[in-house]
Amino acid sequence: MINRRDIKQNIILIALSTLLIVQIIGCSPLFRQSHIQPKNPFEQAMEYLESEQYEAALNAFNKIDQTDEHYEESLEYQKLAQEGYSQILLKRSESYIKSNNFSKAIDTAKEAINVYPDIAEKANDLIADANRINSESLLKSSRKYLEDGLFEVAYDLADKAKGLNPNINDEANTLQCEIQRRHSQALLEQSKNHILNESYESAIKAANDAISVLPDVSEEANNLIDRAKLEYLQSLLHQSRNNIENNKFSQAITAAKKAIDIDPSVKDEANKLIEIAETKQEEIILEEKISQMRLFEGNGKVGVSAEKVISQSSFNYGYSMQKLEDPKNTCFLLVKLAVKNISDSTVHVNPNYITLVVDKFVYNPDVKTYSMDNYLEGINLRPDTITAGWVVFIVPKAESYTLVYEGSFDKVIEKEIYVTKTK
């Protein structure tokens, strides 16, 4: 075993040898013209070792090549440096433990083992101390978070403490049971408050979370879920009815559908509300379209409006009632039109300027147009005057048609018209 006296003696011998060499060649002109050579790695490593700079010594020893004459000797001294550096690391680890920097303490102790495995027992004791103190600290923090109502954080800290130190498993398990109990009770209280505030979805979620935290509260939680669902269903159906009354049909449909999702047993009642809402919605939309239909449209010489559109299966033609060959699929369509001259000159209006388009087929006015008392006559209109009358078509049944007015030397008008009455 090499001791520190051997190290000092070796360093002195190396220094004397170096001095002798310098004295022999110091007078050489070549020497005087050159710089003094730096210390070799072995010399440098030995100086670091003597001054207890163990980490620097290790780095220097590692630079010594196998071809170096001091290589075998350096291996022995390197062990002294390793032992010295490992002791420094152990002291650092102890210091980190005192400052509660446990992860750094453990990493440093592990580094000491890597440097010098012979101190593994002491290093492992330090690692165990760090984990023990850390686990106790974590349990203390867990209790604080429990009192602050941060249950999930408290539970996770207790779980982490168990992973660090199996000796505190019983204490940590007891703490986690208390955390679960308080957490579940807090969630049940939240559920009750949400019900009182009519936040039913939040109430159901809180009750379900309580079951997840502690299955022992399932009975109480399920009672709250049932209560929340019942009140929620009543609220949704009430919302749906109110929205229908206020012409908020989309909201009414959404509320009724959500009621079905919560409890399919209300499907019949909810579907009736959906049907009413959809029907009224369609009626409102149709009324808006009919209102638009009754406005004059056109950006040429005339504007055209359709006041009434009547679909009927028969037509009183003279002294006889005319019926269709296919009354199921076709109809007499009576359209009461108004044409307004919006130009600065006289324009001619004629029912022959009008056609209907349905399913891409074009239909001209039927001759029965002229049997009506107030049919649309061919007439010359002065500026800012209006003519009105009926035009009759035989067309396939539909809810809407495209009316096309194409006057002489005028811009084409296309207007969507909708059935206002069915006979």
Side-chain angles (χ1 to χ4, degrees):
M1 181 69 180
I2 297 175
N3 56 37
R4 298 192 180 279
R5 183 176 294 177
D6 294 334
I7 296 173
K8 289 182 178 179
Q9 290 175 353
N10 206 326
I11 292 173
I12 292 169
L13 289 173
I14 292 170
L16 290 172
S17 299
T18 303
L19 181 60
L20 182 61
I21 294 170
V22 170
Q23 288 175 345
I24 292 171
I25 65 172
C27 297
S28 168
L30 181 61
F31 177 80
R32 288 196 296 271
Q33 293 174 5
S34 64
H35 297 289
I36 297 174
Q37 294 295 320
K39 297 176 183 178
N40 62 51
F42 182 74
E43 293 173 350
Q44 186 68 68
M46 293 300 290
E47 285 191 12
Y48 285 137
L49 183 61
E50 174 63 19
S51 60
E52 298 183 357
Q53 299 180 56
Y54 299 113
E55 187 176 9
L58 285 174
N59 291 332
F61 280 126
N62 288 331
K63 294 177 182 178
I64 298 174
D65 188 78
Q66 292 184 7
T67 60
D68 192 298
E69 61 178 325
H70 299 292
Y71 178 71
E72 294 297 333
E73 188 179 4
S74 71
L75 295 178
E76 292 298 322
Y77 289 113
Q78 188 175 30
K79 290 179 182 179
L80 287 175
Q82 289 171 333
E83 182 181 2
Y85 185 45
S86 67
Q87 292 299 329
I88 291 174
L89 290 172
L90 291 179
K91 289 180 180 179
R92 285 182 191 170
S93 181
E94 290 174 353
S95 177
Y96 285 134
I97 291 173
K98 290 177 181 177
S99 61
N100 293 332
N101 193 343
F102 303 110
S103 60
K104 195 74 174 175
I106 291 170
D107 290 342
T108 304
K110 288 179 178 179
E111 185 183 355
I113 295 172
N114 290 332
V115 170
Y116 191 60
D118 290 351
I119 49 84
E121 183 177 354
K122 187 174 181 181
N124 285 327
D125 287 342
L126 286 173
I127 291 171
D129 285 345
N131 283 331
R132 177 182 58 78
I133 297 170
N134 191 11
S135 66
E136 292 170 355
S137 175
L138 289 170
L139 285 182
K140 184 178 179 180
S141 297
S142 177
R143 293 187 186 93
K144 181 180 182 302
Y145 282 118
L146 171 60
E147 296 305 320
D148 293 341
L150 298 172
F151 305 108
E152 292 178 355
V153 177
Y155 192 91
D156 289 342
L157 288 175
D159 216 36
K160 188 175 181 181
K162 288 194 294 185
L164 293 174
N165 183 11
N167 294 328
I168 51 90
N169 277 4
D170 290 342
E171 184 181 356
N173 286 333
T174 301
L175 178 58
Q176 285 183 314
C177 288
E178 179 63 14
I179 293 168
Q180 288 175 311
R181 186 187 68 78
R182 291 201 203 177
H183 191 186
S184 63
Q185 289 302 315
L187 287 167
L188 292 175
E189 285 301 313
Q190 285 180 25
S191 181
K192 293 173 186 175
N193 289 332
H194 285 313
I195 291 173
L196 293 175
N197 295 322
E198 299 182 0
S199 300
Y200 301 110
E201 290 182 348
S202 297
I204 293 169
K205 182 181 183 303
N208 278 321
D209 287 346
I211 295 172
S212 298
V213 170
L214 187 62
D216 292 348
V217 301
S218 294
E219 183 176 355
E220 184 179 357
N222 283 325
N223 288 336
L224 287 171
I225 291 170
D226 291 341
R227 177 184 165 190
K229 283 185 176 180
L230 178 61
E231 292 188 21
Y232 194 19
L233 284 172
Q234 294 171 346
S235 173
L236 287 169
L237 294 175
H238 182 68
Q239 286 177 34
S240 183
R241 295 187 194 98
N242 282 344
N243 284 326
I244 290 172
E245 291 177 4
N246 295 317
N247 292 338
K248 296 179 179 180
F249 305 112
S250 296
Q251 293 93 321
I253 293 168
T254 299
K257 286 182 176 179
K258 187 173 285 188
I260 296 172
D261 291 339
I262 293 172
D263 187 357
S265 66
V266 301
K267 187 175 182 180
D268 291 342
E269 183 179 0
N271 279 334
K272 286 180 182 178
L273 291 171
I274 291 171
E275 184 179 352
I276 292 170
E278 289 177 341
T279 300
K280 290 198 172 187
Q281 188 175 41
E282 291 172 359
E283 289 173 355
I284 294 292
I285 293 172
L286 181 59
E287 287 175 5
E288 292 173 353
K289 290 178 177 179
I290 289 172
S291 296
Q292 183 65 33
M293 177 184 79
R294 288 172 175 160
L295 299 176
F296 284 101
E297 289 184 43
N299 55 6
K301 296 179 181 180
V302 300
V304 177
S305 76
E307 182 181 345
K308 297 178 182 179
V309 179
I310 301 172
S311 174
Q312 55 190 51
S313 58
S314 60
F315 184 80
N316 191 358
Y317 188 53
Y319 297 99
S320 63
M321 184 66 68
Q322 296 287 318
K323 293 190 176 182
L324 296 164
E325 294 181 1
D326 185 10
K328 185 177 179 180
N329 296 309
T330 57
C331 66
F332 292 103
L333 196 71
L334 283 60
V335 183
K336 187 175 183 181
L337 295 173
V339 182
K340 180 180 181 179
N341 184 353
I342 56 176
S343 71
D344 296 329
S345 59
T346 300
V347 295
H348 183 69
V349 175
N350 196 296
N352 292 323
Y353 294 164
I354 301 167
T355 55
L356 278 189
V357 180
V358 58
D359 294 333
K360 297 184 179 181
F361 284 91
V362 180
Y363 297 87
N364 289 313
D366 189 78
V367 67
K368 296 179 181 60
T369 296
Y370 303 103
S371 68
M372 299 190 70
D373 293 337
N374 186 19
Y375 69 89
L376 185 68
E377 297 184 79
I379 191 171
N380 291 325
L381 279 182
R382 293 170 59 85
D384 202 29
T385 58
I386 299 171
T387 184
W390 292 90
V391 183
V392 180
F393 299 87
I394 298 176
V395 290
K397 287 183 177 179
E399 294 181 355
S400 66
Y401 302 85
T402 301
L403 183 144
V404 181
Y405 184 93
E406 191 170 0
S408 297
F409 307 106
D410 198 0
K411 293 181 179 180
V412 176
I413 300 171
E414 291 187 2
K415 187 178 185 68
E416 293 300 311
I417 63 173
Y418 303 88
V419 175
T420 55
K421 189 176 181 180
T422 301
K423 291 185 179 180

